[in-house]
Amino acid sequence: MGSLWRSIAHVYFIIAFISSSALAEDPYKFFTWNITYGTIWPLGVPQQGILINGQFPGPDIDSTTNDNIIINVFNNLNQKFLLSWSGIQQRRNSWQDGVFGTNCPIPPGKNFTYKFQVKDQIGTYFYFPSMYYHKAAGGFGGLKVVSRPLIPVPFPAPDGDVTLLIGDWYKRNHTILRRTLDLGKSLGAPDAVLINGRGPNGYALTVEQGKTYRLRISNVGLSSSLNFRIEGHKMKLVEVEGSHTVQNIYDSLDIHVGQSYSVLVTADQPPQDYYLVASTRFTSPILTGYGVFRYSNSQKAVSGSIPGGPTIQVDWSLNQARSIRWNLTASAARPNPQGSYHYGNITITRTLKLASSSAIINGKQRYAMNGVSFQRPDTPLKLADYYNIGGVFAVGGIPDSPDGRSAYLQTAVIDGDYRAFIEIVFQNYEDTIQSWHLDGYSFFVAGMDGGEWTQSSRASYNLFDAVSRCTTQVYPKSWTAVLLTLDNAGMWNLRSETWERQYLGQQTYLRVKSPVKSLRDEYDIPLNALLCDAARGRSRTPQP
């Protein structure tokens, strides 16, 4: 009988996975990744890095919308390991999200196969390791989703498509950084800014005169907002995290932690080498990473001073952010199809005003949302919820608005009503810029401004063509408001993209449960799911 049930469960899983793929004939792409430590030299000194198939940064994932992605990850580190897919909406499938709230980590010497579909998400994303501060050692890479031939995009096909991973970097080993945080101390400022894993003047992009290139730029760093620019060249913005944008022209772009942008750049200047620059914003001192934008027929090497960019001007960045709007004439696939075209006419059913704070709890540095600093449990929240394991997390532990309470530790989860249309206000009372991300969703960035958010602030919202994305910045002493429909069932991580803050408690999970158990709303547990701690030994067969 046990053999019969295993056979039935296997068939059930295959049916569920094919159903998740929408069409059985959608293509599959298979990858085998070996995760190892290796010596890297991004700043001219040897460091221990995390490599994927011997590469730092890791290999790019090039996919087409509706592709089924199968990635077999072998963990050859001496620590547990997880990969997450920033911006990829795992529709009805938080089982593949790759954060500890939803997945048991891959033990050393073991493997796990991720299975997900990039469904209707034409755009620019990246992947990264989500545990143990591994992100500070590498393990990240680019992930792009291009359109099928029958789906036009709102610009001519470029002559080249280039991934640029920019981010701040520490010389210290990631284990030292993590130990520093565990002792309740802050990390301090990073040491440098890298471009595709290279330090100053270590990266070169060769282009041909007269041709146009799509640059997919992601800030994969730990804490710093970056300004990106190319000496002597304009950038046409065309896409932000899966949304085609109004095609404004910029001299430089602020790209905050966790954000991804696509720009078109034409090599229309005299044939020589030009600086390609990413520098920190709102910091003192300013850190600058630079490479070379090199014409193939270059007659002159880069020389002179690196072109400067904006430094601490909040208003400059705020005005630029407001100028980034959704391209409503684009015919490509759009995120969140239910209500996307008229989101401004949908009634808000709930407002979450989440205020960030820094606090000392039990003598150690922590960070909190509405006074609650997230304490990571031993058992992933998704597994605890699926198997009805009590005592792992507290639903409703975070109040819907700040109430002045002193900060405390709790494994708190926000309960969301399935298909409710909600408003999340990120309120920043601090002097630092912040960046926030929600897994499993894109949201409409409806408004942002300085000061305290009140209900009257809604009068300033863009309710027509606000860009839909998954990561948004919040300026110092300011607020940002986003709108979204909770139409993706699962357990989804809502976190600060400033990794020190995330690690020390500035995160939570949004639980969205369908009122009925149906594969149309949420897939069942994968048969290959890793089970750990209180979930160890449980059955992976579908639960009644």
Side-chain angles (χ1 to χ4, degrees):
M1 181 63 71
S3 177
L4 174 61
W5 277 112
R6 282 192 294 272
S7 298
I8 293 173
H10 184 65
V11 171
Y12 185 92
F13 172 76
I14 293 173
I15 293 172
F17 187 65
I18 291 176
S19 297
S20 77
S21 306
L23 294 174
E25 64 268 20
D26 287 335
Y28 283 74
K29 290 195 172 181
F30 296 89
F31 303 86
T32 299
W33 285 359
N34 290 294
I35 312 299
T36 61
Y37 287 123
T39 302
I40 58 175
W41 302 72
L43 299 177
V45 295
Q47 290 183 251
Q48 183 188 60
I50 292 178
L51 312 181
I52 301 179
N53 292 350
Q55 299 181 44
F56 168 75
D60 289 344
I61 297 176
D62 295 337
S63 63
T64 301
T65 184
N66 287 7
D67 279 355
N68 296 291
I69 306 298
I70 314 295
I71 305 178
N72 194 3
V73 177
F74 288 84
N75 178 17
N76 296 301
L77 307 182
N78 58 1
Q79 292 180 313
K80 299 174 183 178
F81 186 78
L82 274 177
L83 281 173
S84 189
W85 324 95
S86 185
I88 294 297
Q89 295 175 35
Q90 311 278 355
R91 300 300 297 177
R92 300 170 285 175
N93 196 15
S94 61
W95 298 108
Q96 305 292 333
D97 200 26
V99 292
F100 189 79
T102 55
N103 297 109
C104 292
I106 308 170
K110 302 296 183 180
N111 72 299
F112 176 74
T113 301
Y114 292 91
K115 304 175 183 180
F116 58 90
Q117 187 181 32
V118 287
K119 179 71 174 172
D120 295 337
Q121 290 186 264
I122 300 168
T124 302
Y125 311 94
F126 64 94
Y127 62 86
F128 66 96
S130 61
M131 290 189 67
Y132 294 147
Y133 234 71
H134 286 150
K135 190 180 181 187
F140 47 74
L143 195 168
K144 69 180 180 183
V145 184
V146 301
S147 64
R148 290 175 290 174
L150 294 179
I151 303 177
V153 295
F155 50 86
D159 298 297
D161 195 315
V162 180
T163 294
L164 294 176
L165 304 176
I166 61 177
D168 53 15
W169 189 259
Y170 288 87
K171 292 180 181 178
R172 284 170 283 170
N173 186 284
H174 76 279
T175 58
I176 296 175
L177 297 176
R178 182 185 172 208
R179 191 178 310 126
T180 300
L181 295 178
D182 288 341
L183 291 173
K185 301 176 182 179
S186 180
L187 297 181
D191 297 302
V193 173
L194 305 187
I195 300 175
N196 279 0
R198 307 291 183 88
N201 208 27
Y203 174 77
L205 171 59
T206 300
V207 298
E208 294 186 31
Q209 192 165 30
K211 293 189 174 181
T212 297
Y213 297 82
R214 181 174 184 170
L215 307 186
R216 299 175 183 266
I217 314 159
S218 295
N219 185 338
V220 298
L222 299 172
S223 63
S224 302
S225 296
L226 298 175
N227 180 265
F228 179 83
R229 54 199 181 272
I230 301 174
E231 180 185 16
H233 292 75
K234 303 289 186 180
M235 297 182 292
K236 179 186 288 186
L237 183 65
V238 294
E239 177 258 333
V240 172
E241 294 159 22
S243 291
H244 289 123
T245 62
V246 173
Q247 296 178 10
N248 295 327
I249 305 296
Y250 298 97
D251 293 318
S252 68
L253 272 173
D254 277 357
I255 304 176
H256 305 277
V257 185
Q259 293 185 340
S260 296
Y261 288 77
S262 278
V263 299
L264 298 179
V265 177
T266 300
D268 56 3
Q269 299 300 305
Q272 62 181 60
D273 293 355
Y274 297 87
Y275 285 111
L276 183 150
V277 186
S279 60
T280 57
R281 294 281 273 119
F282 319 111
T283 64
S284 180
I286 295 171
L287 298 176
T288 300
Y290 65 93
V292 177
F293 190 75
R294 173 168 295 149
Y295 281 59
S296 60
N297 58 342
S298 174
Q299 304 296 313
K300 180 182 177 183
V302 290
S303 62
S305 300
I306 298 171
T311 55
I312 59 172
Q313 303 94 329
V314 171
D315 286 348
W316 185 96
S317 187
L318 176 61
N319 289 333
Q320 182 180 88
R322 288 171 172 165
S323 73
I324 298 172
R325 295 175 292 121
W326 209 9
N327 185 345
L328 299 181
T329 64
S331 58
R334 299 166 182 265
N336 295 330
Q338 297 299 321
S340 288
Y341 300 101
H342 305 291
Y343 71 95
N345 296 327
I346 304 174
T347 301
I348 296 170
T349 58
R350 183 182 182 186
T351 296
L352 294 170
K353 184 179 180 182
L354 303 177
S356 63
S357 61
S358 170
I360 302 297
I361 303 177
N362 299 329
K364 294 183 177 182
Q365 176 67 60
R366 297 288 297 185
Y367 297 94
M369 301 163 56
N370 288 0
V372 181
S373 185
F374 186 82
Q375 188 170 32
R376 202 197 81 180
D378 292 328
T379 303
L381 311 182
K382 182 64 179 173
L383 290 175
D385 196 41
Y386 184 77
Y387 290 117
N388 295 313
I389 301 171
V392 175
F393 61 88
V395 175
I398 297 179
D400 282 8
S401 60
D403 56 8
R405 70 178 66 187
S406 297
Y408 63 96
L409 300 173
Q410 188 179 60
T411 307
V413 169
I414 297 173
D415 226 11
D417 293 333
Y418 188 53
R419 298 197 182 280
F421 188 72
I422 72 168
E423 172 185 49
I424 302 177
V425 179
F426 298 104
Q427 180 70 59
N428 182 4
Y429 293 123
E430 301 179 77
D431 291 325
T432 59
I433 189 164
Q434 299 175 0
S435 186
W436 289 89
H437 174 90
L438 176 59
D439 282 352
Y441 285 91
S442 287
F443 44 63
F444 298 98
V445 185
M448 55 178 65
D449 208 346
E452 175 89 18
W453 180 90
T454 65
Q455 292 189 17
S456 62
S457 302
R458 294 181 182 132
S460 67
Y461 284 8
N462 176 357
L463 298 179
F464 178 65
D465 60 355
V467 71
S468 177
R469 64 188 312 172
C470 58
T471 308
T472 187
Q473 71 272 28
V474 190
Y475 293 100
K477 304 284 188 181
S478 300
W479 57 267
T480 295
V482 305
L483 305 174
L484 70 153
T485 301
L486 300 183
D487 59 356
N488 193 15
M491 184 80 75
W492 302 107
N493 191 210
L494 174 62
R495 64 176 178 267
S496 170
E497 283 290 282
T498 303
W499 223 236
E500 175 177 321
R501 288 176 169 266
Q502 178 268 353
Y503 185 83
L504 294 180
Q506 205 160 74
Q507 62 172 310
T508 187
Y509 284 80
L510 179 63
R511 184 179 72 167
V512 181
K513 297 188 77 167
S514 170
V516 296
K517 185 174 178 58
S518 169
L519 291 177
R520 293 177 303 173
D521 296 336
E522 185 175 11
Y523 304 143
D524 224 315
I525 187 171
L527 291 184
N528 70 331
L530 299 174
L531 301 179
C532 54
D533 294 282
R536 194 182 306 276
R538 304 278 180 140
S539 172
R540 296 181 183 84
T541 56
Q543 301 294 297

